[in-house]
Amino acid sequence: HVANQMVLLAIAHAIATLVVWQHFFYIKFAVQEANVPVGANLYWWKRLTPPFEFGAMHAILFQMALLPLTMARSTVAYVSQTYFGKKFIPLHKVVAMHIHLGYTMVGFVFASTVLFFVFFGQGCADQKSGKEPSPGGVQTFCKKMTSEIMITGLVIMGCLLLVAVTSFLRNRIKYEYFYVVHHLVFVMFALAIAHTLDDAFRK
């Protein structure tokens, strides 16, 4: 019974995450469709990469919204006494849910960061070689690689990877190491706000 509940919960989470991702993917896809002319350099990269990143960003934010719920002991205790909690959510497995959400978020962040590097790295190389236009003489792709949003994104990924690695090794390292490093999630949450409200947004 518990195994079935966990499977159903995992499926529901996957579907909800996919719905969030595709919703924002298509919003950005429509923007790129209007802005990227046919025959442009890196045409399909420009059409698909920003939508993928935009969808992934909101999928990450979705995991970030769910994660604190798995740590809210009073809320978990209360829900576990309700009919819905008893019937559909195996809350005694809340640690497993927390781990699942954490690894899902790390996976999205890692994939997004790698794709970001590939896309802007290629665009930067093309601007340096002259294949890609440089508006007003500014190599925009290269500039993006050193932007505030890029720096905060890298630090977020670094924090998450440290948390993920120490979490994976939690039974092989001292608990104190796992406990202290796990608090980097609070740094990550603060950086996520700075990442979203970067200098371009503030201007």
Side-chain angles (χ1 to χ4, degrees), residues 108-129:
F108 268 109
V109 171
F110 185 77
S112 297
T113 305
V114 171
L115 183 59
F116 190 99
F117 265 110
V118 172
F119 176 61
F120 283 95
Q122 184 60 55
C124 178
D126 283 3
Q127 282 185 326
K128 287 181 176 179
S129 67

Side-chain angles (χ1 to χ4, degrees), residues 21 26-27 49 93 115 123 132 143 162 179 184 198 202:
W21 179 82
Y26 281 113
I27 288 175
T49 304
K93 294 285 187 180
L115 183 59
E132 176 71 23
K143 189 176 180 181
L162 280 172
Y179 182 77
L184 284 174
D198 67 327
R202 292 194 299 272

Side-chain angles (χ1 to χ4, degrees), residues 20-55:
V20 170
W21 179 82
Q22 68 86 27
H23 172 73
F24 289 98
F25 175 94
Y26 281 113
I27 288 175
K28 194 69 172 179
F29 184 80
V31 173
Q32 294 303 104
E33 189 175 33
N35 291 340
V36 181
V38 176
N41 183 51
L42 301 174
Y43 176 72
W44 282 111
W45 280 93
K46 291 175 180 176
R47 284 283 300 274
L48 296 176
T49 304
F52 179 91
E53 295 282 1
F54 196 59

Side-chain angles (χ1 to χ4, degrees), residues 73 166 169-183:
R73 294 181 181 179
T166 53
L169 301 173
R170 62 189 176 279
N171 296 322
R172 304 178 198 175
I173 61 176
K174 289 185 177 180
Y175 175 77
E176 289 77 9
Y177 296 158
F178 161 78
Y179 182 77
V180 170
V181 172
H182 221 70
H183 281 74

Side-chain angles (χ1 to χ4, degrees), residues 7-201:
V7 169
L8 288 174
L9 204 59
I11 292 171
H13 170 252
I15 292 172
T17 299
L18 186 61
V19 167
V20 170
W21 179 82
Q22 68 86 27
H23 172 73
F24 289 98
F25 175 94
Y26 281 113
I27 288 175
K28 194 69 172 179
F29 184 80
V31 173
Q32 294 303 104
E33 189 175 33
N35 291 340
V36 181
V38 176
N41 183 51
L42 301 174
Y43 176 72
W44 282 111
W45 280 93
K46 291 175 180 176
R47 284 283 300 274
L48 296 176
T49 304
F52 179 91
E53 295 282 1
F54 196 59
M57 179 184 76
H58 286 85
I60 291 164
L61 292 173
F62 180 54
Q63 313 311 312
M64 289 175 66
L66 294 176
L67 268 168
L69 297 178
T70 62
M71 298 181 286
R73 294 181 181 179
S74 296
T75 302
V76 169
Y78 173 77
V79 174
S80 67
Q81 300 304 312
T82 65
Y83 172 80
F84 182 82
K86 291 177 181 177
K87 186 75 174 175
F88 300 106
I89 309 176
L91 288 167
H92 60 290
K93 294 285 187 180
V94 72
V95 174
M97 298 176 200
H98 179 83
I99 292 169
H100 175 76
L101 290 172
Y103 284 143
T104 300
M105 183 168 68
V106 170
F108 268 109
V109 171
F110 185 77
S112 297
T113 305
V114 171
L115 183 59
F116 190 99
F117 265 110
V118 172
F119 176 61
F120 283 95
Q122 184 60 55
C124 178
D126 283 3
Q127 282 185 326
K128 287 181 176 179
S129 67
K131 290 181 182 178
E132 176 71 23
S134 298
V138 178
Q139 294 179 338
T140 49
F141 279 88
C142 302
K143 189 176 180 181
K144 192 76 170 182
M145 300 285 281
T146 58
S147 65
E148 180 182 316
I149 198 168
M150 183 66 180
I151 294 167
T152 53
L154 287 174
V155 179
I156 287 170
M157 190 182 76
C159 288
L160 279 177
L161 287 179
L162 280 172
V163 171
V165 170
T166 53
S167 296
F168 183 76
L169 301 173
R170 62 189 176 279
N171 296 322
R172 304 178 198 175
I173 61 176
K174 289 185 177 180
Y175 175 77
E176 289 77 9
Y177 296 158
F178 161 78
Y179 182 77
V180 170
V181 172
H182 221 70
H183 281 74
L184 284 174
V185 295
F186 297 108
V187 176
M188 183 272 296
F189 268 75
L191 285 169
I193 295 171
H195 184 73
T196 306
L197 309 178
D198 67 327
D199 55 342
F201 176 87

